[in-house]
Amino acid sequence: MKKFLLVLTALVLSLAFVACGETTTEATTAAPTTEEPAMQVLNWNIGADPQTIDPTLNGASDGGDVINQTFEGLVREVGGVVVAGIAESWTTSADGLTVTFTLRDSKWSDGSDLTASDFVYSWLRGMDQATASEYAWIWEYTNIVGSIDAVYWSDECNNTTEVCNVYDEDDELVGDDQADGLGDDNGLNYADTLAAVGISAPDDNTLVVELVNPTPYFVSLMAFYHFMPVKQSAVEAVGGEEGLWAKDPDLVVCNGPFKLVEYVSGDGLKLVKNDEYWNADEVYIDEIYGEFIELATTAYVAYNAGELDVLPSVPNAMVSALIAEDPNFYVFPLLGTYYYNFNLDPSSPDYDPIFDNVNLRKALAYSIDREAITEALSAGQVPATGFVPTGFLDDEGNDFAVESGNYGIATDTSNYADAVTLFATAASDMSMTVAELQTALEGKVILYNTSEGHKLVAEMVQESWRVNLGINVTLANEEWAVFQETRENGEFDIARGGWLTDFMDPAGLLAIFTSENAYNDPGYDNAAFDTLMTDAQATTDIATHFDKLYAAQDLLMADMPIIPVYYYADTYLIRETVQDWGRSVLGSLDFTHATIVTE
């Protein structure tokens, strides 16, 4: 794609030079010409080919990085600072329950007006069960009036007779269907439920949001891609179903600093400056070529050959040297956790009840040398002893992770002996000898998506389990898009996981393990945990909020449905000619005001 464009550009320029030469020779009195400024072109390795770049449907960081260039929400967050986006200002009522955004005059990339009604449509689409967005759960944490009713609306009972549906062990309906078209909790049909959500657009430039509880992080949360507007006519265009419109240059309409003009699955994409963007005068890059190169070694070779300007990762073997020697290599702490999921979902195809034993899960979790792993990666990662990383402050200003403690997890090998004891206890629990349990685990698979870093971690975990517990698991990897589907379908024994918070509250991480969350990959199902998370969000008392969250993490770590490995760090290798690029504290790149400085 890129090579063809460069050849074509060279051909056009050569013809232009010939024409100019002939004109100069024949017309000596011609007026002097003004030299056009050089095109600013950025070559960026995105990494994996995103599953989607529809803001409402996306749930991965690679897609989020692209969306952050092509769309814009009410606000942007750069370096931890919230700045005006499509909203030029906002006010919060004295009781904290009404937030009113005043929108600037702005346009979609097709030149049509963007209005507050576009936000209403987009947000209701995100909540609507028909959309089936994996991120619909996040609306619960906005505290918007009626959003929970919309996301979790169900019709399993007759509201008059109060008789509800009954299902057998195969989830088949027993007897008559008791659904009456009305929500079991709110008594409204689904259309009225959506209409009752607390968002409105009294005019084109005003968006009013009604909240159940005061929510201090609400405005900053609006920088997240799920809350960015989408244009209804583009979303509903023929051929654009299930988010495909966002990858189709003929259908996509966006409102960010750049717009999509090419997309080749498995290869790359091309973005160009969006001249309709409200702040286009301060967008300096003309074209962005985004490549889908998953192997860090391949991308690194391309970078050194001058073919790429921005890398989101580098080969592990190069990290230490780059940190020491290259000022263009950046390491940032990141509010997220790298972990492994146990498959605990009885309805999934690869479920094995052997992992239901909590002593076995803890034995495996304790038999990992996290310090050795982070030292091998050498890119700023921190050994994880809980699920919530450092960086979140509670109501008293204490770091949530520090206050939570380490849950018995040593970062080195010092509790390997405890792991051996737990393994023996697990064998006894299941009426097995240790040797029989080792045999039962023989050939279980650690699944990860293709990456040199993921492979290294999996190999180190595999070896630790072999040495300390005498079990031999195997490794398997899949390309990112395939891996996401495999993991979602429960077709795994143990699978890599990773989660970055979307807002500055521990709930942004813990919430994914509620039983109905689309990102609950282990299939963790604990009613007490669900209740704690619901209560944490429902309370108006900030101290109670954090008490519930502390209790929720305590319960999660006691059950150990996942194995925390390390807390993330962000690394980038960015050529020094790329200046004024931005990054959100949650890890999204921002090229809105970036420039390419030629030497």
Side-chain angles (χ1 to χ4, degrees):
M1 175 179 67
K2 187 189 306 181
K3 189 175 294 184
F4 169 76
L5 289 169
L6 291 174
V7 171
L8 179 61
T9 302
L11 177 60
V12 171
L13 288 174
S14 65
L15 292 174
F17 287 145
V18 170
C20 288
E22 290 173 350
T23 301
T24 302
T25 301
E26 296 177 6
T28 56
T29 59
T33 58
T34 302
E35 184 177 350
E36 290 291 325
M39 290 276 286
Q40 295 210 12
V41 179
L42 177 71
N43 296 297
W44 166 34
N45 182 36
I46 295 166
D49 185 345
Q51 191 173 40
T52 182
I53 50 175
D54 179 331
T56 308
L57 302 182
N58 180 65
S61 57
D62 43 40
D65 274 341
V66 176
I67 291 166
N68 208 38
Q69 318 312 319
T70 53
F71 289 86
E72 183 165 274
L74 294 168
V75 297
R76 278 186 178 266
E77 179 264 298
V78 182
V81 178
V82 175
V83 298
I86 299 304
E88 60 183 1
S89 64
W90 52 89
T91 59
T92 302
S93 61
D95 62 5
L97 299 181
T98 303
V99 184
T100 303
F101 294 93
T102 300
L103 277 55
R104 67 180 76 252
D105 291 333
S106 66
K107 294 184 179 296
W108 292 103
S109 57
D110 64 358
S112 60
D113 290 339
L114 190 159
T115 70
S117 295
D118 291 314
F119 280 92
V120 174
Y121 163 76
S122 303
W123 290 9
L124 291 179
R125 175 179 180 245
M127 299 177 206
D128 195 334
Q129 294 179 358
T131 305
S133 171
E134 293 181 355
Y135 246 100
W137 63 271
I138 202 170
W139 289 100
E140 179 177 353
Y141 296 90
T142 64
N143 281 330
I144 293 176
V145 169
S147 59
I148 294 179
D149 292 333
V151 172
Y152 298 115
W153 186 89
S154 65
D155 180 15
E156 293 290 332
C157 302
N158 184 301
N159 283 260
T160 301
T161 65
E162 297 185 354
V163 176
C164 299
N165 288 333
V166 177
Y167 297 88
D168 63 20
E169 60 184 14
D170 296 320
D171 209 28
E172 295 292 332
L173 180 66
V174 177
D176 295 333
D177 187 354
Q178 300 299 322
D180 61 357
L182 301 177
D184 299 328
D185 294 323
N186 66 358
L188 300 177
N189 64 40
Y190 197 57
D192 288 343
T193 297
L194 287 172
V197 172
I199 50 176
S200 60
D203 60 58
D204 286 351
N205 293 87
T206 306
L207 180 69
V208 180
V209 183
E210 303 293 340
L211 304 178
V212 176
N213 296 319
T215 308
Y217 57 75
F218 180 80
V219 172
S220 64
L221 178 57
M222 294 303 100
F224 186 56
Y225 49 74
H226 189 76
F227 304 103
M228 295 178 181
V230 294
K231 188 173 183 183
Q232 184 171 2
S233 59
V235 171
E236 298 176 357
V238 175
E241 297 82 4
E242 298 181 354
L244 292 176
W245 65 273
K247 289 185 177 182
D248 187 335
D250 294 328
L251 299 179
V252 65
V253 179
C254 54
N255 75 316
F258 302 95
K259 62 182 181 180
L260 180 80
V261 294
E262 292 181 25
Y263 197 106
V264 180
S265 294
D267 182 11
L269 55 78
K270 179 183 176 182
L271 309 178
V272 300
K273 178 178 176 178
N274 175 15
D275 291 330
E276 298 291 347
Y277 178 56
W278 69 270
N279 199 20
D281 288 347
E282 294 188 22
V283 176
Y284 306 108
I285 291 178
D286 298 292
E287 298 177 348
I288 298 176
Y289 289 92
E291 305 294 337
F292 303 148
I293 303 174
E294 293 194 52
L295 288 177
T297 50
T298 304
Y300 188 63
V301 169
Y303 176 89
N304 285 321
E307 298 170 5
L308 291 171
D309 303 311
V310 179
L311 301 184
S313 62
V314 298
N316 292 311
M318 298 303 303
V319 171
S320 296
L322 288 170
I323 290 176
E325 302 170 6
D326 195 334
N328 300 310
F329 185 67
Y330 299 87
V331 180
F332 299 97
L334 200 55
L335 296 173
T337 304
Y338 186 107
Y339 58 99
Y340 284 111
N341 299 284
F342 293 107
N343 187 343
L344 304 179
D345 183 358
S347 67
S348 66
D350 287 2
Y351 166 74
D352 186 334
I354 198 169
F355 290 120
D356 286 345
N357 186 280
V358 67
N359 289 314
L360 174 60
R361 298 198 299 269
K362 287 186 176 181
L364 295 170
Y366 289 2
S367 293
I368 295 176
D369 187 345
R370 291 163 175 80
E371 289 185 11
I373 288 173
T374 55
E375 286 172 7
L377 295 172
S378 298
Q381 297 90 346
V382 177
T385 57
F387 190 68
V388 176
T390 56
F392 295 94
L393 300 182
D394 66 14
D395 57 299
E396 297 181 352
N398 300 313
D399 188 281
F400 187 91
V402 174
E403 288 295 303
S404 294
N406 65 11
Y407 297 104
I409 295 177
T411 59
D412 55 13
T413 62
S414 59
N415 61 358
Y416 271 24
D418 293 338
V420 171
T421 300
L422 285 165
F423 192 80
T425 302
S428 178
D429 292 342
M430 293 181 275
S431 301
M432 295 181 184
T433 65
V434 167
E436 287 172 335
L437 181 53
Q438 290 168 334
T439 300
L441 293 169
E442 187 85 20
K444 290 297 182 184
V445 178
I446 296 177
L447 181 67
Y448 60 92
N449 54 298
T450 305
S451 157
E452 290 151 337
H454 300 330
K455 179 183 179 183
L456 174 62
V457 175
E459 287 174 342
M460 295 182 73
V461 170
Q462 177 191 44
E463 180 63 8
S464 293
W465 290 352
R466 185 191 68 79
V467 171
N468 195 49
L469 301 177
I471 60 175
N472 294 295
V473 297
T474 59
L475 307 182
N477 66 289
E478 295 177 339
E479 296 305 307
W480 177 231
V482 177
F483 171 77
Q484 289 181 90
E485 184 173 349
T486 299
R487 186 175 60 185
E488 182 180 345
N489 293 337
E491 298 170 349
F492 67 89
D493 298 317
I494 299 170
R496 187 197 78 81
W499 193 256
L500 307 176
T501 189
D502 305 313
F503 53 99
M504 293 301 297
D505 188 274
L509 286 107
L510 294 170
I512 66 170
F513 297 115
T514 53
S515 56
E516 298 300 319
N517 195 287
Y519 293 99
N520 182 3
D521 294 321
Y524 180 56
D525 189 358
N526 186 320
F529 179 84
D530 289 352
T531 298
L532 285 167
M533 292 303 299
T534 298
D535 290 349
Q537 200 59 23
T539 183
T540 58
D541 180 70
I542 190 67
T544 302
H545 171 77
F546 278 101
D547 286 345
K548 299 293 184 181
L549 293 182
Y550 276 120
Q553 175 159 258
D554 289 347
L555 185 54
L556 178 75
M557 296 305 297
D559 289 343
M560 203 74 77
I562 47 94
I563 301 176
V565 180
Y566 63 75
Y567 302 132
Y568 276 112
D570 236 355
T571 61
Y572 300 104
L573 184 57
I574 301 181
R575 203 173 298 282
E576 63 183 349
T577 53
V578 183
Q579 298 184 6
D580 298 326
W581 51 275
R583 175 190 174 276
S584 78
V585 72
L586 303 181
S588 292
L589 282 171
D590 189 339
F591 298 124
T592 302
H593 303 302
T595 59
I596 309 297
V597 179
T598 56
E599 298 177 4

